[in-house]
């Protein structure tokens, strides 16, 4: 009558060897990557509906964050998604930490494993605290049913992040000592810097950010490099070409990179379907659906070139602020707005069209005139023209892509040194030192050959603008805005679609209704307004 | 039910043969009943031989006997057997006495049989004859609606296994399937694998005491299926039967044509498609080209005038062809039943195919006076090969597009978006075989020294395996995908059954029977699967997966074991006062360490009132029995559910660095519950059986009530814990109900017989207790809202928002996030906002209020006319189900683009400015709170109707045949319901879903020959 599982493991004896723990850590990496880049609409909901991106189709549906009132209802899936995903990471990290205590492996291994697990826990609480405010703190392994959670204060959560990130900063190896894609002490320091800002401890924030910046192994990339270094382009463009994100490509700017490979187990991306990391599909406009002024097809189809940008479907569009206002100051000088990085034209490519080779913006057909979402300026950092996986091509010569082309087929930055500079600038600003703040911002701007900012111009809004220029599609914009308390204000100001309906209380997600209901022995206070 | 048994046994007897075989003394005569009405199909056998005949339609017979010492045995079900020495007579006329007590009527109970008259519980026997002309490929379909308290679902796809539920749902998360016992042994395979034509009887144990003999697996009821055997002293009968059935949907639905579709696109975008303020006048500036998200292929089709009906192209009337051959017979010590069957069904949707070959050999032989051995064995080989079109996209395909281009090639993405041509998967090379072989060996020893003592061993092995293969050149983003999967389940059981039966005392007034059983059962499961993608050449299909660039393998296995000991005692005094008691001890590997075994007792009492002196001579009461019983039953949880699980799913894999090596991840996916217990159901059943007015009216009424404790439940946890739920025991629920079955036989003459019957069942389900806590201090126990469980309500309670019409243009009270055309939800707590805390309420339940069936059988000479009406009713607010035209599991009109460009069925009454009084909202809009309509599923259905003609036996005799029957029948010809969409019984509504298939109605023509 004794029951022996045949095809799953017993948690009781699966945390013994270093390999066991490595497997548990691999799961944390995979879960984190899945949360932000998996094949779920929710994965891009931290980016769209903000001050810089909105639903290109201009409709109120939930799947593209069309309406704050609707999508942020406590009964909806989005709020439960980030809650569940992050708490699963926390739970698995807790299990690792508690099992580690009794595992018979070397102290060195233990510290490294615990450092990684605790940093994942800190990163999960970081998402939660900025999205939801103070949330229940769980830092022990849960081995029996628990239904009496209560919300901790925001400060308690931030302090827990500091505690975990500090441990990781001390015990994790340096960036050159870890494999590409693995957490290093610098990620912990960056997180510490951000968290200290939220705690109002700006000196500690500056100190932590400085550790990252002053690390001899990190530097912004200022010269052409990587897989397409000899092609026409610029260094900012190089940062986003296939194979150019890991340190192995010579990239010293990357601090932490989400690893992706096409058609390899554990690589997330699927060369034949909906693998995830779908920014290309969602951001690139559906140019291939346009007709020419004669009413004929103006385009051959979705193509892997920088005219078309791949198989776009026009879901996430830059707000007018993102498309133009942001660049007005230095439209031609800022590399990030160069024709390599921001596509502002499109040319008919169907040889059968009388307008072949002519600009569809100058010679619009009826489709684009009535539905301007079918084409709009777009950022090349989400796509990989000419570098799509081979089996996605229907016609190799014409670079025609099949409908399965769905992803940005490359690694994604979780953290890049440019962000650390902007973070330290924020800390300096908060500390009243606009000179140093401007200096940090200008290091980032200098790489893009942009006009320097003067200390007098530096405000939090300016930093957020700079982050938009530098880090679009990389930072989880919604978290940045909620962290800085700027979400509602900036959405109202810059997002033409959501501005009229966003409410003051939308600066935080609601606690999911399901959690309030299931937590029968405790009370989870709902966020105000919901 | 008496009639049922008669009919089944009668069926067996008609297989008797009546030709001469070289014997010398002919004897003939007529057999009549006590009223001098001739009896046809009476079995006449020369005693001690296998020489036998049956009477013809006029009760006449002729038999050649070995000589004057011959003794003829006349037997006919429902009549007392009679032996008549022939002597020198050449004419022997016999009158048979009706066996009013039907002493021989037996039903199959657990580990044995029992006289129906001695039952103390509630057991119903299926009237298989009533449905023998229906094109039922599964025996359950022949039980549908006809047994009170037994609910059997409809099926939609060819060869599908219907759901079955007995006396309501007694569990939350535990197994809901009744236990099936086939020829005395627990059977875990598909009932579809048992050829319905091989089945002699189906008995359903419903009450807790009858079920208790199966202890831990009994709570959901027991279905006992017995297959046919050869009868001793029976001539060989060869039977051939065949039918053809043509099937079409019970509901005819169609998708919109081009013009309607284009109007719908405008209606969906009514704010722009029509002119303010009324939005009833068309906005001339609005055109499809300019205002919709139609992709180039749609616009192209618009220009070309394309109007293609996708739905029509992939559907066709289905049919069933069925051929059966059986041979039943016996020699002196040995009897046999051998059959072969071939069923092939082509569904209404392309490639929804089902082919089944079955063979059966049932054989037994009396080796010695005291030893009988036998084997019941069958093989069933089903083929479901072929992939049906993707029904979750098919009805949504735009009529502006076509599946093939000018060159006749399939278009991959006809809509221009990522939606794949639903035709593509139908072209894949597909194999889907399910096989089942089984052998039950038994030996029965009548211990010579102790009369009445019998020892029986049942040893059963059942092996079920499936082979699946699929190869699709369009798969994996056109790179080609092929897969192969092998699955097998091996089921072994051994039961040792010791029975002692004796009557003793004065006039044998005391009847005593004891049964002891000890047995075990193990089930082992294995599965291996391989998938390849990226083929340069798929010519070898799924048989050379190593051609794939990307190869994935996986395998699974599980094992479980059961151990049981049972004892039962039956006692009666003068067959008037009845007592039955049993006790079972059960063990199951799937339970937590501390709760591996448990005891399940039962007791039943009966009083045959009609045997009392004061009723013995009653002129109108033929039978009256009161009975009552109590029993405890258990219910299993699924295996391994008490253990914590650590899994290594593919989604946990990761790799580091470009070109890095994959690392397998591991994650804890469930919490352990070492205290997980059996789910226990305790219940009573009281009933009365009666037969009145010379058996013209007979029937039974039952009332039952059962409570289930320690309910197995996936208790919802806050995700904060890292887990969604934990399998636990909570609370208590109750089922109570009334059932009755009435049979009328008002006319019974020589040429004309009329039977009709009604059955009725009503079950109430109620949750009595959950956690037993009152945290909000409102004086009553708290509900588990997150779990959807409410004290005092049924499991199927629907907790939702109340829809109060639809917001109209010009309404001034539309809250933020809502627009005209969307449901107006009731603000129940009046706080001005719609919230889950304040505005949800219990709006009804999914369970039916009651159900009934009406059967009718008329026979006039050689004609028999049967029909059966089945109905499930919801009353005021029961039997409701979500019917949302826009959101189904596999397809949703969630965005304006999808709502405009996706086609839909023409029968959806949805809101547009011109249709303000619509039933349903308009599609493509997200609102802060999502609510959808629950609708009543009540229906009345003419489930079966048949006309059969049996050719007269005079004619048959001349050509050496025993019987020829021709019949025509209709199934589901009429359905009356207010439900919208495919079918109320399956609950398939208006929306598009992968399983959204209609129930079929059919016309069948059949032929049945015996010789």
């Amino acid at each position: 009558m004794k029951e022996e599982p045949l095809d799953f493991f017993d948690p009781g004896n699966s945390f013994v060897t270093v390999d066991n723990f490595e497997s548990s850590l691999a799961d944390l990496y995979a879960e984190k990557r899945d949360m932000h880049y998996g094949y779920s609409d929710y994965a891009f909901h931290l980016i769209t509906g903000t001050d810089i991106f909105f639903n290109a189709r201009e409709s109120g549906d939930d799947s593209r964050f069309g309406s704050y009132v609707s999508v942020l209802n406590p009964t909806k899936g989005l709020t439960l998604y980030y809650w569940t995903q992050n708490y699963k990471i926390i739970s698995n990290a807790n299990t690792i930490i508690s099992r580690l205590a009794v595992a018979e492996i070397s102290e060195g291994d233990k510290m490294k494993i615990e450092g990684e697990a605790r940093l994942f826990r800190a990163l999960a609480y970081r998402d939660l605290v900025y999205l939801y405010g103070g949330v229940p703190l769980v830092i022990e392994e849960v081995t029996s049913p628990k239904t009496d959670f209560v919300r901790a204060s925001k400060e308690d959560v931030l302090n827990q992040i500091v505690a975990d990130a500090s441990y990781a900063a001390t015990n994790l190896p340096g960036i050159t000592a870890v494999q590409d894609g693995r957490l290093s002490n610098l990620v912990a320091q960056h997180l510490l810097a951000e968290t200290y800002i939220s705690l109002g401890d700006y000196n500690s924030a500056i100190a932590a950010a400085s550790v990252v910046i002053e690390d001899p192994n990190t530097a912004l990339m200022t010269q052409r490099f990587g897989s397409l270094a000899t092609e026409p382009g610029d260094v900012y463009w190089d940062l986003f070409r296939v194979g150019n994100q890991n340190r192995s490509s010579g990239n010293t700017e990357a601090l932490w990179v989400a690893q992706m490979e096409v058609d390899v187990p554990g690589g997330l991306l699927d060369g034949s379907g909906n693998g995830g990391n779908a920014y290309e599909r969602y951001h690139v406009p559906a140019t291939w659906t346009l007709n020419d002024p004669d009413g004929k097809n103006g385009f051959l189809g979705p193509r892997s070139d920088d005219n078309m940008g791949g198989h776009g479907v026009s879901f996430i569009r830059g707000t007018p602020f993102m498309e133009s206002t942001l660049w007005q100051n230095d439209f031609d000088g800022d590399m990030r707005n160069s024709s390599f990085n921001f596509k502002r034209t499109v040319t008919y490519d169907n040889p059968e069209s009388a307008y072949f080779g002519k600009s569809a913006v100058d010679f619009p057909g009826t489709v684009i005139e009535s539905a301007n979402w079918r084409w709009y300026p777009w950022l090349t950092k989400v796509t990989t023209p000419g570098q799509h996986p081979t089996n996605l091509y229907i016609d190799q010569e014409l670079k025609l892509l099949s409908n399965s082309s769905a992803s940005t087929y490359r690694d994604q930055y979780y953290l890049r040194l440019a962000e650390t500079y902007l973070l330290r600038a924020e800390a300096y600003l908060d500390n009243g030192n606009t000179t140093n703040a401007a200096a940090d911002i200008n290091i980032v701007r200098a790489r893009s050959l942009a006009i320097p900012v003067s200390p007098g111009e530096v405000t939090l809004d300016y930093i957020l603008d700079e982050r938009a220029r530098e880090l679009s599609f990389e930072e989880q914009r919604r978290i940045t805005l909620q962290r800085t308390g700027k979400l509602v204000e900036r959405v109202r100001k810059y997002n033409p679609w959501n501005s009229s309906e966003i409410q003051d209380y939308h600066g935080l997600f609601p606690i999911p209704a399901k959690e309030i209901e299931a937590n029968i022995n405790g009370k989870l206070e709902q966020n105000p307004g919901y | 039910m008496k009639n049922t048994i008669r009919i089944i046994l009668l069926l067996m007897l008609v297989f008797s043969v009546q030709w001469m075989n070289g014997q010398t003394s002919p004897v003939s005569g007529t057999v009549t009943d006590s009223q001098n009405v001739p009896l046809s199909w009476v079995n006449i056998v020369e005693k001690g031989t296998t020489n036998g005949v049956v009477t013809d339609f006029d009760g006449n017979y002729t038999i050649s006997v070995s000589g004057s010492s011959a003794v003829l045995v006349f037997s006919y079900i429902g009549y007392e057997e009679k032996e008549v020495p022939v002597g020198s007579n050449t004419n022997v006329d016999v009158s048979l006495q009706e066996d009013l007590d039907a002493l021989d009527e037996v039903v199959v109970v657990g580990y044995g049989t029992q006289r129906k008259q001695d039952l103390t519980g509630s057991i119903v026997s299926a009237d298989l004859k009533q449905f023998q002309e229906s094109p039922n490929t599964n025996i359950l379909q022949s039980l549908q609606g006809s047994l009170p308290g037994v609910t059997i679902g409809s099926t939609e796809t060819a060869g599908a296994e219907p759901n079955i539920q007995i006396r309501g749902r007694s569990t939350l998360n535990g197994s809901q399937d009744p236990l099936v016992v086939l020829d005395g042994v627990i059977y875990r395979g598909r009932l579809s694998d048992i050829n319905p034509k091989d089945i002699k009887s189906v008995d359903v144990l419903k009450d807790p005491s009858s079920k208790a003999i199966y202890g831990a697996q009994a709570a959901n009821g027991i279905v006992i299926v017995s297959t046919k055997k050869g009868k001793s002293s029976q001539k060989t009968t060869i039977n051939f039967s065949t039918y053809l059935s043509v099937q079409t949907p019970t509901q005819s639905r169609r998708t919109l044509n081009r013009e309607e579709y284009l109007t719908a696109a405008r209606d969906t975008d009514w704010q722009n498609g029509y002119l303010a303020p009324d939005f009833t006048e068309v906005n001339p500036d609005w055109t499809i080209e300019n205002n919709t998200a139609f992709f180039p292929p749609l616009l192209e089709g618009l220009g070309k005038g394309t109007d293609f009906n996708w739905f029509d192209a992939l559907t066709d009337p289905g049919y069933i062809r069925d051929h059966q051959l059986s041979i039943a017979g016996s020699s002196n010590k040995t009897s046999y039943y051998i059959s072969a069957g071939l069923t092939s069904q082509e569904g209404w949707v392309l490639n929804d195919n089902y082919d089944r070959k079955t063979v059966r050999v049932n054989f037994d032989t009396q080796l010695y006076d005291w030893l009988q051995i036998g084997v019941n064995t069958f093989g069933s080989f089903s083929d479901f090969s072929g992939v049906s079109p993707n029904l979750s996209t098919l009805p949504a395909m735009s009529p502006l597009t076509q599946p093939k281009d000018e060159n006749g090639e399939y278009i991959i993405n006809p809509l221009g978006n990522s939606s794949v041509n639903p035709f593509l998967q139908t072209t894949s090379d597909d194999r889907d075989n399910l096989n089942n072989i089984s052998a039950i060996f038994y030996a029965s020893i009548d211990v010579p020294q102790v009369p009445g003592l019998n020892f029986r061993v049942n040893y059963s092995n059942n092996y079920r395996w499936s082979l699946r293969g699929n190869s699709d050149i369009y798969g994996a983003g056109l790179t080609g995908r092929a897969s192969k999967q092998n699955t097998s389940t091996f089921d072994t059981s051994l039961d040792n059954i010791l029975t002692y039966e004796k009557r003793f005392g004065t006039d044998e007034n005391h009847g005593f029977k004891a049964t002891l059983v000890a047995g075990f059962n193990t089930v082992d499961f294995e599965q291996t699967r391989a998938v390849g993608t990226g083929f340069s050449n798929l010519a070898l299909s799924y048989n050379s997966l190593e051609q794939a660039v990307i190869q994935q393998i996986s395998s699974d296995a599980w094992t479980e074991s059961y151990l049981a000991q049972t004892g039962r005692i039956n006692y009666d005094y003068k067959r008037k006062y009845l007592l039955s008691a049993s006790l079972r001890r059960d063990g199951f590997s799937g339970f937590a360490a501390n709760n591996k075994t448990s005891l399940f007792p039962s007791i039943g009492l009966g009083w045959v009132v009609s045997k009392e002196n004061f009723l013995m001579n009653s002129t109108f009461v033929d039978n009256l029995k009161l009975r009552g019983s109590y029993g405890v039953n258990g219910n299993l949880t699924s295996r391994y559910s008490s253990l914590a699980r650590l899994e290594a799913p593919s989604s946990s894999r990761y790799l580091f660095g470009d070109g890095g090596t994959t690392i397998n991840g591991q994650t804890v996916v469930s919490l352990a519950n070492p205290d997980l217990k059996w789910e226990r159901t305790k219940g009573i059943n009281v009933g009365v059986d009666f037969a009145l007015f010379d058996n013209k009216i007979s029937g039974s009424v039952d009332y039952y009530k059962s409570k289930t404790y320690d309910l197995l439940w996936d208790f919802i946890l806050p995700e904060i814990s890292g887990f969604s739920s934990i399998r636990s025991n909570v609370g208590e629920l109750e089922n109570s109900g009334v059932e009755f079955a009435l049979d009328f036989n008002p006319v019974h003459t020589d040429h004309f017989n009329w039977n009709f019957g009604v059955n009725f069942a009503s079950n109430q389900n109620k949750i009595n207790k959950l956690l037993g806590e009152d945290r909000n201090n409102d004086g009553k126990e708290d509900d588990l809202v997150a779990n959807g469980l409410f004290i005092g309500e049924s499991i199927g309670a629907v907790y939702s928002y109340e829809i109060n019409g639809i917001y109209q243009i010009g309404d001034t009270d539309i809250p933020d996030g809502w627009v005209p055309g969307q449901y107006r939800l009731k603000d129940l707590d009046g706080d001005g906002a719609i919230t889950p805390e304040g505005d949800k309420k219990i709006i009804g339940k999914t369970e039916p209020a009651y159900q009934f069936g009406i059967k009718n059988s008329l026979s006039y000479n050689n004609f028999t006319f049967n029909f059966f009406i089945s109905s499930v009713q919801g009353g005021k607010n029961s039997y409701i189900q979500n019917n949302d035209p826009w959101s189904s599991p596999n397809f949703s009109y969630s965005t304006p683009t999808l709502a405009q460009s996706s086609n839909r069925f023409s029968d959806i009454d949805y809101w547009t400015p011109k249709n303000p009084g619509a039933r349903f909202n308009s599609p493509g809009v997200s609102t802060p709170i999502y609510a959808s309509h629950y609708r009543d599923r009540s229906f009345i259905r003419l489930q079966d109707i048949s006309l059969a003609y049996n050719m007269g036996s005079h004619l048959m005799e001349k050509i050496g045949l025993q019987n020829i029957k021709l019949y025509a029948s209709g199934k589901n010809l009429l359905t009356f319901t207010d439900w919208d969409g495919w079918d109320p019984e399956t609950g398939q509504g208006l929306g598009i879903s992968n399983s959204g298939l209609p129930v079929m109605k059919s016309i069948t023509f059949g032929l049945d020959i015996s010789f």
Side-chain angles (χ1 to χ4, degrees), chain B residues 863-905:
Chain B
F863 287 94
T864 308
F865 172 68
N866 288 341
F867 67 80
F868 183 79
I869 292 167
S870 169
S871 176
V872 182
Q873 293 291 329
K876 192 160 153 266
N877 57 0
S878 303
Y879 203 42
I880 58 170
Q881 186 174 302
N882 190 349
N883 194 350
D884 189 332
W886 311 124
S887 174
S888 311
N890 308 96
F891 190 87
S892 122
Y893 294 81
S894 58
T895 69
T897 312
L898 276 172
Q900 282 192 334
S901 63
S902 302
N903 205 357
R904 62 201 60 166
F905 288 104

Side-chain angles (χ1 to χ4, degrees), chain B residues 669-857:
Chain B
V669 298
S670 70
L671 287 170
N673 184 352
D675 297 320
L676 196 65
K677 280 185 286 196
W678 303 88
E679 183 173 280
R680 295 168 73 83
T681 301
K682 300 179 186 176
I684 55 141
N685 186 90
V686 291
V688 51
D689 299 329
F690 55 86
L692 307 171
F693 306 112
D694 213 8
N695 287 326
K696 280 198 161 45
I697 301 175
S698 60
S700 62
V701 180
D702 279 274
Y703 169 81
Y704 61 88
K705 183 167 184 170
S706 69
K707 287 184 180 175
T708 309
Y709 304 86
D710 300 330
L711 295 159
L712 294 163
W713 177 240
D714 285 328
F715 185 76
I716 305 286
L717 295 174
E719 301 282 353
I720 306 165
S721 64
F723 301 94
S724 307
S725 64
I726 180 169
R727 179 59 60 99
S728 346
N729 301 97
V730 301
E732 173 191 318
L733 75 78
E734 176 182 307
N735 278 286
S736 60
V738 178
E739 292 162 357
F740 65 79
L742 290 175
D743 283 294
F744 302 90
N745 188 1
V747 186
H748 176 64
T749 69
D750 187 358
H751 295 289
F752 186 59
N753 191 34
W754 180 27
N755 269 301
F756 68 94
V758 238
N759 78 74
F760 172 92
S762 168
N763 184 72
Q764 294 293 321
N765 176 279
K766 194 168 78 150
I767 295 172
N768 288 340
K769 204 186 288 178
L770 289 165
L771 301 182
E773 293 173 46
D774 178 17
R775 280 176 222 85
N776 58 8
N777 296 317
D778 64 350
K780 55 180 200 218
E781 193 191 331
D782 294 348
D783 300 325
L784 289 174
V785 178
N787 295 265
L789 300 177
F790 303 90
I791 304 282
E793 302 290 339
S794 75
I795 302 173
V798 175
Y799 184 64
S800 187
Y801 304 92
E802 205 172 340
I803 293 173
N804 184 23
I806 292 176
Y807 287 115
Q808 303 293 338
I809 293 162
D811 281 359
T812 51
D813 57 346
I814 304 179
D816 279 351
W818 272 270
V819 290
Q822 299 306 311
Y823 294 127
R824 175 190 285 273
L825 305 183
K826 261 195 190 159
D827 181 13
L828 295 176
D829 63 358
D831 69 348
I834 303 297
T835 58
E837 299 83 25
D839 300 314
K840 280 170 110 170
K841 69 170 217 177
I842 290 164
I843 59 172
K845 61 175 184 174
T846 56
E847 297 97 340
Y850 60 94
Q851 50 201 100
F852 63 86
I854 299 170
K855 68 174 177 177
N856 190 75
S857 177

Side-chain angles (χ1 to χ4, degrees), chain A residues 31 45 73 126 139-140 173 193 200 212 219 246 253-254 268 283 345 351 359 368 423 446 448 498 525:
Chain A
E31 286 193 31
H45 280 200
N73 190 280
R126 178 242 179 202
I139 51 169
E140 301 290 338
V212 182
N246 281 332
E253 187 171 335
L268 186 73
H283 173 55
T345 62
S359 161
I368 187 171
L423 197 61
S448 287
N498 299 108
E525 296 291 339

Side-chain angles (χ1 to χ4, degrees), chain B residues 643-666:
Chain B
L643 304 182
R645 296 171 85 98
L646 180 114
E647 289 182 356
S650 57
S651 61
S652 280
R653 291 178 185 155
Y654 205 75
L655 40 73
F656 296 106
D658 296 331
T661 326
T662 302
I663 302 172
N664 282 328
Q666 64 174 32

